[in-house]
Amino acid sequence: MGCPTNPTSQSQWCVWYTCVAMAPLMMASSAGTASDPSPAILGLPPALKVQFPLAYMQSSFVSGHHGGVPCPGRGFTNPTLNASARLDRLRRYASTTTSFRGGEMFINTLETPEALADVRELNTLILQVAQETKTPPFYGFWIPSRLPGMWWPANYTTQPKTYRGNALMSNGSAWVQYPTGCGTGTSILNLQGTDLDITNVEAVDLAMRNLGRVLRAKCDPITECVGPLVGSYLFSEAALTAPYQPFATHPYRDVDSSQFGNVSDLQPQRSDGKAPLLRMGNATELYTDDKVVFSFYQGPKRSAPLFSVSARNSFVRYCAAHGRTNVTSLPADRDEFNDDDGLVTLPTHVEFAPLTDVGLWSLWDEWVVQTWFDYCGGIVATVNAAQAGNEFFGGAFYFQLAGWYAIRARATQPVTYRYRDVNGTLQQEQGEVVAQWAHYRDLNPVIKGLDLEMFADAPWLSGFVHEASHGVPILGVHPPMVVPRESRDRFIMASDRHRHFVNAQGTMAREIMESRGKLFGAFSRAAFISDPTFHGPSVADTLSVAGFEQMWNFSTSLLRPQVVATLNDARFVPLADGAHPPLHDVFERLFQTLGPTSATQSGQMPASS
């Protein structure tokens, strides 16, 4: 029996979706499981017709619980749109009035049948609109960052303590890590190494079994899984180590937080209520100066959630496999701890190691990035195995902020890149070795876990998006407080710090991806750069038309991306009545200047019969 040819009601659309999207699953042989994830789906989804350059919108849709998830002290957070509003937005994305053909797809929870049904509904609507408009389906970049069975307090408060990752406090004691809180912000956005101890095989296996179970494309009854997804998996600002915020938590700021274990790592508190003096200096002053390595964007090495006993065992095995058999503990940097020796006691499986032991610390660096890479690879294998047979889903992308990922081997070789000076004049830096730049380590942190070349070599990675945002590059740059704001933006974008973070790093990232046949993307900033006197996360005001074009000319156009991301649809996508948001016209004009690229993913449209 064929699929319905002209579905009209919502129930008929659900039948059509099951028939079209799930037909390949009915015929597919048994696929792998979370424990045995092969065969993994490689490359982009074969049933999606994608042309490049591709423009996608961040924060496009939230699925899961319609009213959001309950968050103590904050009510319900991260609500979803109803079917009617989703259809309206998808139809606008499918129209000829916008170039955006994809977007980020958040999932506020995967814990309940109702949430799984809501994810299923959204994918049904994506294919419904594609069939209605005879256009390629909206390309979803899916972010299931809240691991089912692991992220909610009811989950992790009843699990063994060995499931928790450990960092170290300034007094040497264990700094137990927990998943990000349920409030709005990064908790729905980025996967982190703080969600669980990623070196604990038992904990990771449980997380993967839970994730694979709910993300299946086919299950019986259908209430137990999300069904076929449309698009690819996305690591959105995913990082091994969370942003470093010692002064945003108790006892240094009295905040109402629902996050279990929310405590500053600077211990013990002094009698005057201030943080203890560190061997490296005054923590309060360090956190407010221009050093990226002790800021919101980066923290000390001891803030990495890799100091559990399980992590020690993993590190010892890694060292032995690489020829150093005398290692029995994890290394720690004495400068990162309290200056008073009487206020420091390390766990028995951790020892101070001098930075002059380059061999040991090099092994630690390599182990850190390998550990995060292996964990991310396991997630992709699990998701792709769960979706096996679904031709509308495949591949994986990584979206990461410049300063939260590392380019190491390539940075030791000369790179030629373009930038603009403060007058807007195009310049070219010829053959610079970025690893020799004074702030190179600021730009390429190991504790975030992402070595771009390692990920680019993975067959499961489809592409990487270089986030040229309004955060890290401004540290250490002090523009005159002048108006218009476009002048301050130009001062920062012409700075040495910005052109290395955005232009040089972005150029190397593009070369790395293209040399391996992968896609390279860039984030086109749509907000004015944050006030450089503010050292925390911020979403600034929407750029003016002139400011957006200036940003594009200083970064996006010079990086020649195949994928362009920006934020958010209220700035770019026309409303139902045809009204144009503030940045619609300028984006459409500039996006066309990128022109077609050699990268093309051809596929078939959803069949109607």
Side-chain angles (χ1 to χ4, degrees):
M1 182 174 65
C3 299
T5 55
N6 293 295
T8 55
S9 68
Q10 190 61 49
S11 61
Q12 289 175 330
W13 274 114
C14 288
V15 172
W16 178 86
Y17 169 68
T18 301
C19 182
V20 172
M22 297 186 68
L25 298 170
M26 306 299 184
M27 299 180 290
S29 59
S30 60
T33 64
S35 299
D36 179 19
S38 60
I41 299 174
L42 306 180
L44 301 182
L48 294 185
K49 184 179 180 181
V50 186
Q51 294 182 335
F52 298 96
L54 169 70
Y56 83 85
M57 190 67 68
Q58 292 187 289
S59 304
S60 291
F61 290 93
V62 176
S63 57
H65 281 300
H66 276 299
V69 294
C71 186
R74 301 184 186 181
F76 289 81
T77 63
N78 309 123
T80 73
L81 298 174
N82 60 32
S84 176
R86 285 172 168 173
L87 280 170
D88 171 70
R89 183 174 293 183
L90 286 167
R91 286 165 179 154
R92 285 189 282 128
Y93 276 121
S95 73
T96 58
T97 62
T98 181
S99 294
F100 289 96
R101 293 293 179 259
E104 283 184 335
M105 316 297 274
F106 296 134
I107 303 176
N108 63 25
T109 184
L110 288 165
E111 299 288 345
T112 65
E114 292 78 12
L116 304 181
D118 188 71
V119 177
R120 184 183 292 264
E121 177 196 80
L122 179 52
N123 285 279
T124 303
L125 298 178
I126 289 173
L127 294 183
Q128 173 182 334
V129 171
Q131 175 65 17
E132 286 178 0
T133 59
K134 306 302 179 186
T135 59
F138 185 79
Y139 199 112
F141 292 86
W142 289 90
I143 312 172
S145 62
R146 287 174 167 171
L147 297 175
M150 308 300 290
W151 78 276
W152 194 247
N155 303 140
Y156 59 73
T157 55
T158 59
Q159 292 171 348
K161 292 182 179 180
T162 54
Y163 282 18
R164 305 269 57 82
N166 283 188
L168 294 177
M169 294 186 176
S170 65
N171 64 358
S173 61
W175 186 20
V176 181
Q177 302 294 294
Y178 296 89
T180 50
C182 63
T184 56
T186 58
S187 59
I188 198 173
L189 172 65
N190 56 345
L191 190 84
Q192 292 180 345
T194 55
D195 295 334
L196 69 158
D197 185 347
I198 66 172
T199 68
N200 184 309
V201 175
E202 182 179 298
V204 172
D205 184 65
L206 175 62
M208 296 305 103
R209 282 190 281 114
N210 289 341
L211 185 64
R213 171 177 49 80
V214 298
L215 288 186
R216 285 175 292 169
K218 181 178 181 293
C219 58
D220 184 15
I222 63 172
T223 55
E224 294 181 352
C225 68
V226 299
L229 301 175
V230 180
S232 296
Y233 185 91
L234 176 66
F235 294 99
S236 185
E237 294 187 356
L240 167 66
T241 306
Y244 186 56
Q245 303 181 76
F247 297 103
T249 51
H250 178 80
Y252 303 108
R253 182 181 296 175
D254 185 16
V255 293
D256 177 20
S257 174
S258 61
Q259 184 176 338
F260 187 80
N262 183 28
V263 61
S264 173
D265 67 298
L266 299 176
Q267 299 292 337
Q269 181 181 8
R270 294 187 340 198
S271 59
D272 59 5
K274 296 182 179 180
L277 181 69
L278 304 179
R279 181 66 56 89
M280 66 169 61
N282 186 313
T284 306
E285 295 175 359
L286 290 170
Y287 201 72
T288 54
D289 67 12
D290 294 330
K291 293 184 177 64
V292 179
V293 292
F294 198 89
S295 69
F296 169 83
Y297 298 100
Q298 289 186 42
K301 294 184 288 296
R302 61 175 174 77
S303 65
L306 292 177
F307 284 92
S308 66
V309 172
S310 176
R312 185 273 311 274
N313 296 340
S314 172
F315 179 64
V316 169
R317 289 193 300 269
Y318 185 88
C319 290
H322 290 80
R324 186 151 177 173
T325 59
N326 63 338
V327 175
T328 59
S329 60
L330 286 162
D333 179 358
R334 181 64 185 87
D335 285 349
E336 297 178 346
F337 295 81
N338 296 339
D339 184 55
D340 185 346
D341 289 333
L343 296 178
V344 180
T345 303
L346 292 178
T348 56
H349 60 277
V350 181
E351 292 182 359
F352 288 126
L355 297 182
T356 53
D357 191 344
V358 176
L360 179 65
W361 282 107
S362 294
L363 282 170
W364 188 82
D365 286 352
E366 298 301 324
W367 168 73
V368 167
V369 296
Q370 186 69 55
T371 300
W372 180 245
F373 172 78
D374 290 344
Y375 177 65
C376 291
I379 289 174
V380 174
T382 298
V383 175
N384 282 343
Q387 288 287 312
N390 172 20
E391 295 186 346
F392 290 95
F393 185 86
F397 287 79
Y398 213 122
F399 174 91
Q400 190 55 285
L401 181 72
W404 279 4
Y405 72 90
I407 294 177
R408 300 192 297 159
R410 176 64 186 87
T412 64
Q413 302 299 317
V415 62
T416 296
Y417 62 94
R418 299 182 297 165
Y419 67 97
R420 294 186 184 276
D421 62 24
V422 73
N423 296 316
T425 304
L426 185 64
Q427 305 287 347
Q428 180 167 290
E429 185 69 28
Q430 188 75 34
E432 179 179 0
V433 178
V434 178
Q436 297 175 0
W437 179 49
H439 302 287
Y440 167 75
R441 289 192 66 84
D442 293 357
L443 178 62
N444 293 270
V446 168
I447 66 168
K448 292 295 181 181
L450 175 51
D451 180 312
L452 184 59
E453 290 155 288
M454 181 179 289
F455 275 77
D457 286 333
W460 48 260
L461 188 72
S462 305
F464 175 77
V465 182
H466 170 67
E467 184 183 359
S469 191
H470 55 82
V472 173
I474 60 92
L475 289 180
V477 182
H478 302 282
M481 303 299 286
V482 297
V483 291
R485 296 176 73 180
E486 292 82 358
S487 296
R488 296 184 65 246
D489 262 23
R490 185 169 64 252
F491 184 97
I492 295 172
M493 289 189 295
S495 68
D496 176 74
R497 184 72 63 101
H498 187 278
R499 69 181 175 92
H500 279 92
F501 272 69
V502 175
N503 299 72
Q505 188 86 341
T507 298
M508 290 190 293
R510 188 191 70 238
E511 292 178 1
I512 289 168
M513 300 309 294
E514 290 182 348
S515 68
R516 292 157 172 83
K518 307 296 179 69
L519 293 166
F520 169 75
F523 176 76
S524 289
R525 177 173 52 84
F528 283 103
I529 295 174
S530 302
D531 185 334
T533 63
F534 177 71
H535 292 266
S538 171
V539 177
D541 298 334
T542 299
L543 280 168
S544 62
V545 171
F548 185 85
E549 184 159 9
Q550 176 178 256
M551 175 283 308
W552 185 280
N553 291 333
F554 269 73
S555 57
T556 305
S557 66
L558 301 183
L559 293 175
R560 305 195 308 274
Q562 296 159 314
V563 178
V564 176
T566 193
L567 180 73
N568 53 33
D569 68 318
R571 291 164 168 160
F572 295 95
V573 181
L575 302 175
D577 61 6
H580 286 189
L583 298 180
H584 169 272
D585 294 353
V586 65
F587 178 85
E588 294 298 320
R589 173 169 56 83
L590 294 173
F591 183 70
Q592 298 306 315
T593 65
L594 293 178
T597 73
S598 59
T600 302
Q601 170 71 23
S602 62
Q604 62 188 29
M605 294 294 296
S608 60
S609 62

